[in-house]
Amino acid sequence: MKNIFVFLASAFVLFCSCEKPDTDITVDTPKFSGDMTVVYEGEDFDQSGIQVQVAFNDEKTAVDIKLLKVKFVPAMPIRIDVTIMDVPVMEMTDGGWTFSADGITPWALGGPYDTFRVDDLHGSLTEETLEFSLGFYNTKKQQNYPTAYSGSM
């Protein structure tokens, strides 16, 4: 009985330590809808209708970007949500925003997804459009999967 209690307590601590920090992205956050291409084994893996949510922090110095129900390779058995957090943004004179970052560990499947790292993220955002490119770098296989997204409200 004591071992079961220790196991349950350990599982609870592990679950709490992986819980995603609070973000302004909710189910009510507006969604961009568009096309995503991942270069996989030298071939383009295209998907349409991919939804992405973006939320600014309070100071409007960074955004969280959440890709909803995506697959990164054709054989991927499930679709997952992936959040790229704390991406620095810069306001442009035309009212739009640009953003870039490198070396971010995304969140997926309930916690930090260390197997993939977001590198060379660059993009732009307006009230109506979202475009970005990045590399999802597989840290175990030492392979990069260039990814591009273009969507609109």
Side-chain angles (χ1 to χ4, degrees), residues 21 57 61-65 83-89 100-101 104:
N57 65 359
T61 57
V63 292
D64 289 354
I65 302 168
T83 304
I84 306 165
M85 294 183 293
D86 298 323
V87 177
V89 294
S100 64
I104 295 177

Side-chain angles (χ1 to χ4, degrees), residues 45 70-82 109 113:
F45 175 52
V70 295
K71 290 176 73 169
F72 294 102
V73 298
M76 194 169 158
I78 61 170
R79 294 183 175 274
I80 62 172
D81 295 348
V82 177
L109 303 172
Y113 200 55

Side-chain angles (χ1 to χ4, degrees), residues 102-124:
D102 200 42
I104 295 177
T105 299
W107 281 71
L109 303 172
Y113 200 55
D114 295 333
T115 302
F116 286 90
R117 181 181 69 223
V118 174
D119 287 334
D120 200 26
L121 169 62
H122 297 282
S124 63

Side-chain angles (χ1 to χ4, degrees), residues 10-151:
S10 298
F12 177 76
V13 169
L14 180 62
F15 174 77
C16 289
S17 67
C18 290
E19 190 172 314
K20 184 175 177 290
D22 290 338
T23 181
D24 290 333
I25 295 177
T26 67
V27 294
D28 296 325
T29 301
K31 296 174 182 81
F32 293 90
S33 183
D35 300 323
M36 187 173 85
T37 300
V38 179
V39 179
Y40 173 71
E41 295 184 353
E43 300 288 327
D44 288 353
F45 175 52
D46 298 318
Q47 299 173 81
S48 60
I50 298 297
Q51 294 185 327
V52 177
Q53 295 175 295
V54 178
F56 284 89
N57 65 359
D58 291 339
E59 298 81 23
K60 291 204 171 192
T61 57
V63 292
D64 289 354
I65 302 168
K66 185 174 187 178
L67 291 76
L68 303 171
K69 297 180 176 41
V70 295
K71 290 176 73 169
F72 294 102
V73 298
M76 194 169 158
I78 61 170
R79 294 183 175 274
I80 62 172
D81 295 348
V82 177
T83 304
I84 306 165
M85 294 183 293
D86 298 323
V87 177
V89 294
M90 184 176 201
E91 188 169 13
M92 304 301 291
T93 56
D94 65 1
W97 298 83
T98 62
F99 53 89
S100 64
D102 200 42
I104 295 177
T105 299
W107 281 71
L109 303 172
Y113 200 55
D114 295 333
T115 302
F116 286 90
R117 181 181 69 223
V118 174
D119 287 334
D120 200 26
L121 169 62
H122 297 282
S124 63
L125 169 68
T126 69
E127 289 184 14
E128 298 297 321
T129 62
L130 171 65
E131 294 183 355
F132 61 85
S133 64
L134 59 87
F136 278 107
Y137 183 75
N138 185 319
T139 58
K140 292 181 180 177
K141 293 183 178 181
Q142 304 288 305
Q143 291 179 320
N144 189 43
Y145 299 96
T147 303
Y149 178 83
S150 180

